[in-house]
């Protein structure tokens, strides 16, 4: 086949084949008024690096169009946006019977490009489209849930579950087995839970997908967590902290001693905050080491260790080992037991910084939790430098949010008088009818000053510690209502996520 014939086969009036677009360095975009624009890959100086012949052929195939040179990074991003935007609508799913999954596993490359689906089988195209759709909609997880009469696929988008697809129940073993093949799991073993990982690329972006399987009554349940380093904002300035909270948190980090704890439920952004803190601390002058379960994002210049309980590498064992590596700063993914907590605190007593997470509802609740697992109050009072509690609330869609006056009950909860304008979600095409688009963090920061340390040492109650800690600082609920008054989020979202914290 000649190059001209290949191009004609690979192009259409509105879309080039992905393989051609990627290799040739051309992408068909929509310009103003829907007029086609050919994006051409260029270097940093704006000089085209795409194949000139391919640009001419693309121009002819598009029926004439303006040509725009895009820097390499911009080109890769636009390429991803154009082809992942097809999402689920491009996934043609037909029942083709069971597939030879062992043969597929042997031929599976270490990293597959999930946008290049010209010759893939329907079930593979479906999985690729699901992951592409998850990335496009900022979903954190994909749930594949088998039931007696159907296989339901749901995604957690902005922290809320949403069903995106329902398939016949007979497709459960085909879909789950293919996912297991991609994540290098044992497809013959269906009786025990398994954990794996898939490495993919999407238009130049590296995507990690963490896979967990669990046996259930009607087949294996699969959850895929999407880890997209480009979407992760590993920068403290981009997390949405109020200026004063950010200033106080940075002051704690600059001291480089003591224990700093981040608290909150699963999915509240604790890992992102910790990684952002490490990114800020990474100045080349200190040795930074982590022990995590699992290592979610790779950080350059930081030694990261993943726990492996099967071989005895627990958080405590891993932390004990890395302390023999002469670190200046350590991050422990989670404090789960008294042994891990005490090792981290004893490390901080030598003038070093330890960061970790604890699952509690509030910042002060971390003190109570550590006391409960067996850490002595005198050790807590002398080592804990600060505790940050956080939550994520959905942001209102700017295109469709509607203003109204706050109700009497809402005014009471936000501690305000007189008329206050708040906004409610409406739903439009831009936000897929949800009324929300993206999320923002809510934070409460407790800095351990002398008064707070004395309260901890004296086994004071949570209420007493909170009264002292929040004399001049916001609680989570107050941070949420501040965003509601600014129109960033809605009252119902604040009540859903944090109001119960304040009530307790």
């Amino acid at each position: 086949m000649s190059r001209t014939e290949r191009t004609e086969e690979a192009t259409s009036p509105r879309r080039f084949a992905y393989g051609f677009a990627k290799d040739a360095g051309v992408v068909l975009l929509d310009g103003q008024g829907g007029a086609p624009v050919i994006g051409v890959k260029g270097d940093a100086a704006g000089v085209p690096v795409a194949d000139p012949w391919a640009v001419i052929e693309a121009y002819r195939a598009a029926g004439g169009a303006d040509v725009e040179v895009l820097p390499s990074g911009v080109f890769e991003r636009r390429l991803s946006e154009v082809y992942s935007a097809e999402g689920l609508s491009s996934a043609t799913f037909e029942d083709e019977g069971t597939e030879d999954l062992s043969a597929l596993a042997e031929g599976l490359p270490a990293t597959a490009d999930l946008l290049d689906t010209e010759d893939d089988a329907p079930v593979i195209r479906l999985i690729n489209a699901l992951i592409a759709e998850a990335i496009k909609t900022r979903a954190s997880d994909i749930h594949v849930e088998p039931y007696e009469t159907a296989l339901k696929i749901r995604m957690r988008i902005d922290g809320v579950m949403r069903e995106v697809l329902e398939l016949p129940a007979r497709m459960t073993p085909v879909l789950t087995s293919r996912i297991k093949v991609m994540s290098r799991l044992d497809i013959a073993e269906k009786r025990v839970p398994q954990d794996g990982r898939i490495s993919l690329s999407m238009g130049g972006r590296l995507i990690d997908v963490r896979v967990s399987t669990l046996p259930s009554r009607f087949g294996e349940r699969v959850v895929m967590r999407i880890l997209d380093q480009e979407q992760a904002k590993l920068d403290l300035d981009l997390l949405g902290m109020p200026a004063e909270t950010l200033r106080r948190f940075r002051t704690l980090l600059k001291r480089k001693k003591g224990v700093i704890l981040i608290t909150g439920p699963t999915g509240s952004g604790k890992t992102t905050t910790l990684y952002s803190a490490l990114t800020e601390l990474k100045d080349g002058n200190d040795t930074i080491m982590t022990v995590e379960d699992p290592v979610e994002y790779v950080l350059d210049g930081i030694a990261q260790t993943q726990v492996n309980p099967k071989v005895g590498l627990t958080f405590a064992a891993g932390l004990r080992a890395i302390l023999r590596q002469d670190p200046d700063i350590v991050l422990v993914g989670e404090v789960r037991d008294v042994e891990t907590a005490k090792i981290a605190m004893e490390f901080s007593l030598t003038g070093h910084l330890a960061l970790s997470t604890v699952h509690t509802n509030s910042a002060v609740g971390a003190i109570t939790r550590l006391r409960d697992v067996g850490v002595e109050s005198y050790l807590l009072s002398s080592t804990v430098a600060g505790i940050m509690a956080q939550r994520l609330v959905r942001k209102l869609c700017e295109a469709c949010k509607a203003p109204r006056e706050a109700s009497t009950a809402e005014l009471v909860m936000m501690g305000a008088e007189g008329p206050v304008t708040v906004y409610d979600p409406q739903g439009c095409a831009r936000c897929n009818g949800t009324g929300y688009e993206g999320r923002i963090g809510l934070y409460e920061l407790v800095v351990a000053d002398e008064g707070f340390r004395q309260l901890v040492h004296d086994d004071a109650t949570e209420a007493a510690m909170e009264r002292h800690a929040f004399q001049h600082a916001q609680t989570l609920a107050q941070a949420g209502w501040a965003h509601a008054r600014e129109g960033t989020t809605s009252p119902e979202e604040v009540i859903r996520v944090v109001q119960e914290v304040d009530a307790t």
Side-chain angles (χ1 to χ4, degrees):
M1 180 184 291
S2 70
R3 297 183 73 182
T4 303
E5 288 172 337
R6 177 178 178 270
T7 304
E8 288 176 349
E9 184 179 286
T11 57
S12 70
R14 298 302 299 157
R15 182 65 49 83
F16 306 141
Y18 173 74
F20 169 75
K22 180 182 178 184
D23 295 341
V26 294
V27 62
L28 192 60
L29 307 171
D30 289 329
Q32 293 184 349
V37 174
I38 297 174
V40 176
K41 188 174 184 179
D43 59 18
V47 178
V49 296
D51 183 350
W53 172 88
V55 176
I56 294 171
E57 287 298 304
Y59 182 88
R60 181 189 61 78
D66 291 337
V67 176
E68 181 181 354
V69 179
L70 305 173
S72 179
V74 176
F75 176 84
E76 298 289 357
R77 186 167 62 251
R78 297 302 302 273
L79 185 71
S80 298
E81 291 170 354
V82 168
Y83 288 88
S84 66
E86 293 179 351
L88 292 174
S89 62
S90 68
T92 56
F93 189 84
E94 300 165 4
D95 186 0
E96 295 192 356
T98 48
E99 307 220 356
D100 185 354
L101 298 179
S102 298
L104 287 173
E106 290 176 5
L108 194 67
T111 299
D113 196 322
L114 61 85
L115 294 178
D116 198 358
T117 58
E118 292 297 308
D119 300 316
D120 285 345
V123 70
I124 306 172
R125 291 203 301 271
L126 174 67
I127 295 170
N128 291 350
L130 283 170
I131 297 174
E133 180 78 0
I135 294 167
K136 186 186 94 172
T137 58
R138 306 175 313 281
S140 59
D141 302 89
I142 303 171
H143 290 234
V144 180
E145 304 170 340
Y147 297 97
E148 185 176 9
T149 60
L151 175 65
K152 295 186 177 181
I153 298 175
R154 300 194 297 163
M155 294 184 185
R156 187 177 296 280
I157 302 171
D158 293 336
V160 177
M161 295 299 297
R162 186 185 309 166
E163 185 172 321
V164 296
L165 198 60
E166 183 173 313
L167 302 171
R170 65 180 179 275
M171 300 314 304
T172 297
V174 177
L175 192 64
T176 56
S177 294
R178 177 59 198 173
I179 294 171
K180 290 173 72 175
V181 167
M182 294 173 71
S183 51
R184 305 297 199 278
L185 300 179
D186 184 353
I187 62 173
E189 181 56 79
K190 304 178 188 298
R191 300 166 299 172
V192 297
Q194 296 186 62
D195 295 302
R197 203 165 191 143
I198 304 172
S199 293
L200 300 165
S201 69
M202 194 178 85
R205 291 163 60 183
L206 293 178
I207 308 293
D208 269 343
V209 182
R210 219 165 65 208
V211 178
S212 171
T213 70
L214 181 71
S216 69
R217 184 177 179 186
F218 300 109
E220 289 180 285
R221 190 181 192 278
V222 180
V223 174
M224 295 183 282
R225 168 151 289 189
I226 310 297
L227 301 174
D228 182 2
Q229 189 136 9
E230 277 198 16
Q231 284 192 1
K233 300 174 181 177
L234 304 182
D235 186 334
L236 290 177
D237 290 316
L238 301 178
L239 298 183
M241 286 186 199
E244 179 60 17
T245 302
L246 181 58
R247 183 193 64 78
R248 294 166 66 222
F249 187 58
R250 279 196 162 119
T251 300
L252 285 177
L253 294 175
K254 287 175 182 177
R255 291 176 186 168
K256 294 186 179 180
K257 63 180 180 179
V259 176
I260 297 177
L261 299 171
I262 310 294
T263 79
T266 301
S268 59
K270 300 187 299 295
T271 301
T272 300
T273 300
L274 283 175
Y275 279 11
S276 299
L278 289 186
T279 300
E280 182 142 321
L281 289 167
K282 187 182 64 176
D283 57 9
N285 298 321
D286 297 306
T287 299
I288 304 176
M289 305 186 75
T290 77
V291 54
E292 308 170 58
D293 183 21
V295 175
E296 294 196 4
Y297 299 109
V298 176
L299 301 176
D300 290 336
I302 294 176
Q304 297 172 270
T305 301
Q306 181 161 321
V307 302
N308 187 355
K310 291 180 181 178
V311 297
L313 185 57
T314 61
F315 273 119
L319 180 57
R320 196 180 295 110
I322 67 176
L323 292 187
R324 293 194 286 268
Q325 296 280 313
D326 188 31
D328 299 293
I329 299 168
V330 299
L331 182 151
V332 186
E334 183 182 346
V335 173
R336 295 178 179 172
D337 53 62
V338 63
E339 185 181 8
T340 306
K342 285 189 173 181
I343 295 171
M345 290 177 179
E346 288 166 4
F347 169 73
S348 73
L349 284 173
T350 62
H352 297 87
L353 175 63
L355 301 101
S356 190
T357 69
V358 185
H359 286 285
T360 60
N361 285 333
S362 64
V364 170
I367 299 295
T368 304
R369 171 68 190 278
L370 292 171
R371 283 174 179 166
D372 289 343
V373 300
V375 182
E376 295 86 354
S377 294
Y378 75 85
L379 189 56
L380 290 170
S381 65
S382 58
T383 57
V384 174
I387 311 168
M388 172 92 81
Q390 65 181 75
R391 297 290 189 280
L392 293 175
V393 292
R394 291 180 292 172
K395 294 169 61 179
L396 284 165
C397 174
E398 292 294 332
C400 65
K401 65 181 183 181
R404 64 169 174 85
E405 275 196 17
S407 67
T408 303
E410 290 166 348
L411 289 172
V412 171
M413 285 186 282
M414 68 176 70
E417 295 182 2
V420 173
T421 301
V422 293
Y423 293 80
D424 286 332
Q426 297 298 306
C428 65
R430 172 172 159 178
C431 59
N432 293 319
T434 64
Y436 296 97
E437 192 175 32
R439 289 189 290 178
I440 192 169
L442 306 181
Y443 304 90
E444 67 176 27
L445 177 61
V446 173
V447 175
D449 57 14
E450 286 303 316
F452 186 81
R453 292 182 189 279
Q454 190 62 50
L455 289 169
V456 173
H457 184 275
D458 295 342
D459 290 331
T461 63
E462 277 192 34
M465 288 187 285
E466 285 182 349
R467 278 195 298 272
H468 177 86
F470 298 115
Q471 291 178 41
H472 307 291
Q474 282 186 331
T475 64
L476 278 172
Q478 289 168 345
W481 287 113
H483 278 295
R485 295 180 72 165
E486 293 169 2
T488 309
T489 191
S490 66
E492 68 177 359
E493 186 71 358
V494 175
I495 293 170
R496 180 183 73 86
V497 174
V498 296
Q499 185 60 41
E500 72 276 10
V501 176
D502 198 47
T504 57

